[in-house]
Amino acid sequence: MNPYSCTLYNCKSLRKLQGHLGLQKKSKFQSLSIKLKDEPLNFYKSFKDKKGRKLFICSRKITILHKQLIKLFNVEKPQYLKSGVKKESHITNAKYHSASNFFLLIDIKSFYPSITKGKIKKQLTSTYSQSNQVAEFISNLVTVPQENTVNKRALVTGSPLSQYFAYLINKKMLDELNNVSKEENIKFTVYVDDMTFSSKQIISYKFHTKIYNILTKYGYATHLKGEKKNFRGKVGNKSKITGIQITKYGFRLLKKHKDKIKQIIENNEHISRQKTLLGLVNFAIQVNPKYKKYKSLLKKYGKIQQNGVKNL
């Protein structure tokens, strides 16, 4: 079976694409095609998150079309994929590597901006065998202009399809990384732009070089050696996988996460930030059951409604 097979595989006709997307009138489909190409920002409202990253809120119409694309690109979902699919998360990503002793952690630099319209269109035509016209429409549907550039467009962030489409466009590269890992009996997972390789044995610099060369071949750059987001070595203080600390004794919460919980309590922000507090505590308990102690702490200080605590 072709691993790239999906409903839109080998789609050559705009008329078929129009039908698959549920756009019944040809005139409206053509009008949408022109607007997506020439005035894409009319369909999005931009904002920045706490880390200063630019995200977009899609219009209702675009959200519907993006959700439909997810259904139409119904390719095989491998075990290594931990983002953009149901029942997978940054927690299941870390748990997959819990029995390992050695790690190679790689974070792709400027991941979403690197998934350009040109890269998307190339993969849609070469990997998914679509016609240029079909690939052009889909590429315009899922990309937005980037800051400080005139013509450069890249995969939209903040859409329901962002994480999954990042996988679809990079599936060939990710499959290659997975195959190289299997050859050396190394576990591999990907969560958006975080790549985790782990083993019970030492992961060699030679293997690291292989991974780096594959990423470079597909047009991606990684953070420099020694930066916090990259790590190769034994389980310990630096083996942090998607926000979770892996130690010899099991999962631990990162210090910054524990500090956030304590800060909210100590600053008497339990009412104004109750939802945030509940989310932080709920996440902590998923990481390690020992953090149920936070329930007792919250009850002791009377900082939270009892119903809220019971729902954790």
Side-chain angles (χ1 to χ4, degrees), residues 80-97:
Y80 68 69
L81 181 63
K82 302 300 179 184
S83 56
V85 293
K86 290 182 179 179
K87 297 183 179 180
E88 297 291 359
S89 67
H90 53 303
I91 295 177
T92 61
N93 180 51
K95 285 183 176 180
Y96 185 75
H97 300 275

Side-chain angles (χ1 to χ4, degrees), residues 17-35:
L17 176 62
Q18 177 186 336
H20 285 311
L21 291 175
L23 300 170
Q24 297 180 355
K25 292 186 178 181
K26 184 179 179 180
S27 58
K28 288 189 176 181
F29 178 76
Q30 292 176 334
S31 175
L32 177 63
S33 179
I34 293 171
K35 288 180 180 178

Side-chain angles (χ1 to χ4, degrees), residues 35 51 74 106 146 148 171 181 185 245 274 304:
K35 288 180 180 178
K51 294 183 179 181
N74 49 334
I106 292 177
Q146 299 300 295
N148 303 320
K171 179 171 169 55
S181 300
N185 199 29
Q245 178 80 52
Q274 186 181 86
I304 195 165

Side-chain angles (χ1 to χ4, degrees), residues 162-181:
S162 298
Q163 291 187 0
Y164 184 59
F165 216 80
Y167 159 67
L168 292 172
I169 296 306
N170 292 292
K171 179 171 169 55
K172 185 171 284 188
M173 176 186 75
L174 295 171
D175 285 347
E176 189 172 337
L177 291 171
N178 189 48
N179 291 335
V180 168
S181 300

Side-chain angles (χ1 to χ4, degrees), residues 7 23 50 53 68 124 180 226 242 261:
T7 303
L23 300 170
K50 293 179 180 179
R53 296 173 299 193
Q68 185 63 12
L124 292 178
V180 168
T242 49
I261 294 174

Side-chain angles (χ1 to χ4, degrees), residues 129-184:
S129 297
Q130 296 177 358
S131 68
N132 281 325
Q133 287 181 313
V134 169
E136 173 71 14
F137 182 91
I138 294 175
S139 298
N140 287 332
L141 179 57
V142 302
T143 61
V144 290
Q146 299 300 295
E147 282 187 321
N148 303 320
T149 62
V150 178
N151 297 315
K152 186 179 179 182
R153 295 173 61 153
L155 182 62
V156 61
T157 51
S159 164
L161 69 57
S162 298
Q163 291 187 0
Y164 184 59
F165 216 80
Y167 159 67
L168 292 172
I169 296 306
N170 292 292
K171 179 171 169 55
K172 185 171 284 188
M173 176 186 75
L174 295 171
D175 285 347
E176 189 172 337
L177 291 171
N178 189 48
N179 291 335
V180 168
S181 300
K182 282 183 176 180
E183 289 172 2
E184 301 203 24

Side-chain angles (χ1 to χ4, degrees), residues 40 65 179 190 229:
L65 291 175
N179 291 335
V190 59
K229 294 187 176 182

Side-chain angles (χ1 to χ4, degrees), residues 49-309:
D49 65 7
K50 293 179 180 179
K51 294 183 179 181
R53 296 173 299 193
K54 191 172 184 178
L55 303 176
F56 293 88
I57 297 175
C58 308
S59 68
R60 183 175 178 275
K61 184 173 186 177
I62 293 300
T63 299
I64 291 172
L65 291 175
H66 282 187
K67 288 181 177 179
Q68 185 63 12
L69 276 182
I70 294 174
K71 295 177 181 178
L72 294 171
F73 277 96
N74 49 334
V75 301
E76 176 187 358
K77 298 174 183 64
Q79 188 178 33
Y80 68 69
L81 181 63
K82 302 300 179 184
S83 56
V85 293
K86 290 182 179 179
K87 297 183 179 180
E88 297 291 359
S89 67
H90 53 303
I91 295 177
T92 61
N93 180 51
K95 285 183 176 180
Y96 185 75
H97 300 275
S98 60
S100 297
N101 298 318
F102 296 89
F103 300 90
L104 171 61
L105 309 177
I106 292 177
D107 180 271
I108 295 179
K109 197 171 185 178
S110 301
F111 182 56
Y112 279 111
S114 297
I115 307 176
T116 61
K117 176 186 170 182
K119 184 174 290 186
I120 292 172
K121 187 174 179 180
K122 179 181 178 181
Q123 290 302 315
L124 292 178
T125 54
S126 62
T127 303
Y128 296 95
S129 297
Q130 296 177 358
S131 68
N132 281 325
Q133 287 181 313
V134 169
E136 173 71 14
F137 182 91
I138 294 175
S139 298
N140 287 332
L141 179 57
V142 302
T143 61
V144 290
Q146 299 300 295
E147 282 187 321
N148 303 320
T149 62
V150 178
N151 297 315
K152 186 179 179 182
R153 295 173 61 153
L155 182 62
V156 61
T157 51
S159 164
L161 69 57
S162 298
Q163 291 187 0
Y164 184 59
F165 216 80
Y167 159 67
L168 292 172
I169 296 306
N170 292 292
K171 179 171 169 55
K172 185 171 284 188
M173 176 186 75
L174 295 171
D175 285 347
E176 189 172 337
L177 291 171
N178 189 48
N179 291 335
V180 168
S181 300
K182 282 183 176 180
E183 289 172 2
E184 301 203 24
N185 199 29
I186 292 174
K187 288 184 174 182
F188 164 65
T189 60
V190 59
Y191 184 82
V192 192
D193 57 348
D194 289 318
M195 297 184 178
T196 303
F197 304 84
S198 72
S199 173
K200 289 185 177 295
Q201 308 298 323
I202 294 175
I203 296 177
S204 68
Y205 181 74
K206 183 178 179 181
F207 177 79
H208 189 173
T209 301
K210 282 184 182 180
I211 299 304
Y212 173 81
N213 289 338
I214 291 172
L215 293 173
T216 302
K217 180 175 72 172
Y218 284 91
Y220 292 105
T222 64
H223 289 273
L224 297 175
K225 182 180 179 182
E227 289 186 326
K228 290 183 178 180
K229 294 187 176 182
N230 279 358
F231 170 72
R232 181 174 67 90
K234 194 174 182 179
V235 61
N237 293 333
K238 294 185 178 180
S239 50
K240 302 170 184 176
I241 302 177
T242 49
I244 297 172
Q245 178 80 52
I246 293 184
T247 73
K248 296 177 182 179
Y249 311 103
F251 288 172
R252 295 290 183 269
L253 207 60
L254 296 184
K255 184 179 181 298
K256 65 179 182 180
H257 196 122
K258 289 187 283 188
D259 288 345
K260 284 181 183 178
I261 294 174
K262 292 176 181 177
Q263 183 181 32
I264 291 174
I265 294 172
E266 292 170 358
N267 291 345
N268 291 319
E269 297 175 332
H270 54 288
I271 301 299
S272 61
R273 302 185 65 187
Q274 186 181 86
K275 186 176 180 181
T276 300
L277 182 57
L278 286 170
L280 289 168
V281 173
N282 187 40
F283 172 72
I285 294 170
Q286 290 181 68
V287 170
N288 192 319
K290 84 165 195 172
Y291 291 112
K292 287 182 180 178
K293 67 182 182 181
Y294 282 120
K295 284 186 179 180
S296 301
L297 180 64
L298 293 176
K299 288 178 182 178
K300 177 182 176 182
Y301 281 91
K303 300 296 184 183
I304 195 165
Q305 296 177 3
Q306 289 299 311
N307 288 338
V309 174

